[in-house]
Amino acid sequence: MNKDKILILDFGSQVTQLIARRIRELNVYCEIHPYTVSNKFIEEFNPGGIILSGGPNSVYETDTPAAPDAIFNLGVPVLGICYGMQTMANQLGGLVEASGKREFGHAQIYDIQTKLFENIIDGTTDNKPYMQVWMSHGDKVIKLPAGFSAIGGNESCPVAAMADITRNFYGVQFHPEVTHTAQGLQLIKNFVLNICNCHSTWTMPNYADEAIDKIKTTVGSDTVILALSGGVDSSVAAVLIDRAIGKQLVCIFVDNGLLRLNEADQVMQTYQQNMGLNLIKIDAKVEFYRELAGITDPEQKRKIIGRLFIEIFQREAAKITNAKFLAQGTIYPDVIESAGGATAHTIKSHHNVGGLPESLHLKLLEPLRELFKDEVRELGITLGLPHSMVYRHPFPGPGLGVRILGDVKAEYVELLQKADNIFIEELQNSSYYSKVSQAFAVFLPVKSVGVMGDGRTYDYVVALRAVETTDFMTANVANLPFELITKVANRIINEVKGINRVVYDISGKPPATIEWE
């Protein structure tokens, strides 16, 4: 039986899906399931290896999450990450306690050994090789289980990695799945390919075929309504579903008044006239502006926007024969930030995830739910979508509603659309658009004093945001040339009447999110 697959047991880490993403980069199939799955399920899954994710709990708490006993008796390699290492140590007879000091951020670990650290050296200190890692923990292993030895550590965390070589059980206190651990992918590769002996046989074309078959089986002869926004996610979802069920797909485009400059016209041109999709346009600007009036809390705005989308689709569904499914381009960062994992902590709701009311009369179809943005783009290319469409910067489902801080007004929308368009235009003109992962302007509902000519101005402020990332779970500030930023600022101030100050956001993720709301 094929064992070229990895089972990931989720203990609630915000970055569990990144483990799966790293494994996919190795072209190895994997699935994420909650730690509560039964022993029978694990045995029938028949994995080539098992990874225990991190999580927010402590093993010495009451009713703390624990790994199923079966994983330690299957005879397959097991890798515990952060909490996964701690529960492995605790369950096998070791001891974990609070370290007294939370360790968060970059760290170096020394004395790295075994096949797990093969071909990994980031540098040396006093002739001691080390690996640069990303820590995020408040507990530590102080007593190893029988059969285990420390295979990496430092002064503050003596057991930063442990192993029972005989049984192929490994644990690391750091997070190899995040990009902050420079050679984390190599460590995961060592575990998956060299220790578990899995083969790289899973590819995006295979995923596309599986997704199409799954959509056919799920939908049957019913009709699917797709929320087409014109963004990368909904575009790829539309083409994928169209490949599966053809004319059973009805695309509905809602002009909510929160789109980018001239975007409504561009969407109709691209998807209805050029691509031939069955596309219905609904002008709902008045409805959205009315419902958002006076609402300043970002969670309320997201939920209002999500509710209105659903109400509109319910209204349209009544006009379409046999409409049973609502398709959305939800991707995994949307899910995990909305506590999509088994025990993950909520960061923010997403209109596709957290804003769905219980009165929804359509079943959800989310074919991209397990993919990250770069994987969605790879899937789009596999499906034959144009490069310019696939590599367009992402745009939030709630649109400019979460890029206008506080109250949403038509006046603010117009100002932001113009400022944002100038920013994107200059990025494209300077060839920086393709060098950054996402860029946009944010409207700040505050006024500042300025001077133009001999006159005093008292106008609004916009912030420019540009980030570099591969997975959108973590992000660094884009190091744009100062000359480019000042050119954008000058154009905005000169061309957009009502804005007299431009600032540049230099916050990374974490601690900030990419969007401001």
Side-chain angles (χ1 to χ4, degrees), residues 2 26 51 57 70 72 94 105 118 123 135-136 165 204 208 215 231 244 250 286 296 313 332 352 366 421 449 464 515:
N2 176 27
L26 303 173
I51 295 180
N57 298 96
F72 301 118
E118 192 172 351
M135 293 284 196
S136 180
I165 305 298
M204 191 53 73
I215 292 168
V250 179
V286 174
T296 59
F313 274 98
Y332 196 77
N352 283 352
E366 297 173 312
N421 188 65
V449 174
L464 305 180
E515 298 289 343

Side-chain angles (χ1 to χ4, degrees), residues 219 222-226 241 245 248-251 325-327 365:
V219 173
D222 294 328
T223 296
V224 176
I225 301 174
L226 178 97
I241 296 171
I245 61 172
Q248 291 171 242
L249 173 65
V250 179
C251 297
F325 289 89
L326 170 64
L365 182 66

Side-chain angles (χ1 to χ4, degrees), residues 65-100:
D69 294 334
I71 70 169
F72 301 118
N73 300 312
L74 284 180
V76 301
V78 180
L79 171 64
I81 295 174
C82 199
Y83 180 86
M85 167 176 157
Q86 293 166 10
T87 194
M88 177 190 290
N90 186 62
Q91 290 179 240
L92 296 178
L95 185 62
V96 178
E97 68 175 21
S99 63

Side-chain angles (χ1 to χ4, degrees), residues 46 118 172 178 225 241 249 309 370 411 425 466 471 486 506:
N46 193 32
E118 192 172 351
V172 293
V178 302
I225 301 174
I241 296 171
L249 173 65
F309 265 111
E370 296 300 318
E411 171 199 357
E425 189 176 271
D471 49 47
T486 54
I506 59 170

Side-chain angles (χ1 to χ4, degrees), residues 484-504:
L484 174 58
I485 296 174
T486 54
K487 182 177 182 181
V488 171
N490 288 336
R491 278 198 60 190
I492 290 173
I493 292 169
N494 287 330
E495 297 176 29
V496 184
K497 187 176 180 181
I499 296 174
N500 72 349
R501 191 177 297 270
V502 177
V503 298
Y504 188 58

Side-chain angles (χ1 to χ4, degrees), residues 120-146:
I120 297 177
I121 294 179
D122 285 316
T124 58
T125 300
D126 297 329
N127 294 320
K128 293 174 60 179
Y130 66 79
M131 179 183 183
Q132 192 79 32
V133 302
W134 181 261
M135 293 284 196
S136 180
H137 67 98
D139 301 330
K140 63 182 178 181
V141 175
I142 61 168
K143 176 188 174 184
L144 290 164

Side-chain angles (χ1 to χ4, degrees), residues 89-264:
N90 186 62
Q91 290 179 240
L92 296 178
L95 185 62
V96 178
E97 68 175 21
S99 63
K101 179 174 128 178
R102 179 172 170 80
E103 189 173 13
F104 181 86
H106 289 291
Q108 295 174 351
I109 65 167
Y110 301 86
D111 303 319
I112 49 180
Q113 310 165 43
T114 76
K115 292 170 68 174
L116 190 66
F117 292 100
E118 192 172 351
N119 298 320
I120 297 177
I121 294 179
D122 285 316
T124 58
T125 300
D126 297 329
N127 294 320
K128 293 174 60 179
Y130 66 79
M131 179 183 183
Q132 192 79 32
V133 302
W134 181 261
M135 293 284 196
S136 180
H137 67 98
D139 301 330
K140 63 182 178 181
V141 175
I142 61 168
K143 176 188 174 184
L144 290 164
F148 280 79
S149 59
I151 58 170
N154 58 31
E155 185 176 349
S156 62
C157 188
V159 185
M162 66 180 194
D164 179 335
I165 305 298
T166 302
R167 291 185 288 178
N168 272 328
F169 292 168
Y170 297 84
V172 293
Q173 188 57 70
F174 55 91
H175 286 273
E177 69 272 31
V178 302
T179 54
H180 298 4
T181 298
Q183 295 202 65
L185 178 59
Q186 180 64 46
L187 185 146
I188 292 173
K189 179 180 179 180
N190 288 342
F191 178 74
V192 172
L193 301 186
N194 300 339
I195 295 173
C196 298
N197 295 315
C198 290
H199 297 90
S200 301
T201 57
W202 188 78
T203 63
M204 191 53 73
N206 289 343
Y207 178 86
D209 292 339
E210 291 170 6
I212 289 170
D213 289 341
K214 184 176 181 180
I215 292 168
K216 288 178 181 178
T217 301
T218 302
V219 173
S221 60
D222 294 328
T223 296
V224 176
I225 301 174
L226 178 97
L228 184 66
S229 68
V232 177
D233 303 332
S234 67
S235 299
V236 174
V239 174
L240 183 66
I241 296 171
D242 181 69
R243 294 284 173 86
I245 61 172
K247 295 303 180 182
Q248 291 171 242
L249 173 65
V250 179
C251 297
I252 297 177
F253 168 57
V254 178
D255 183 0
N256 59 8
L258 303 171
L259 304 173
R260 288 166 284 203
L261 188 66
N262 301 322
E263 187 164 20

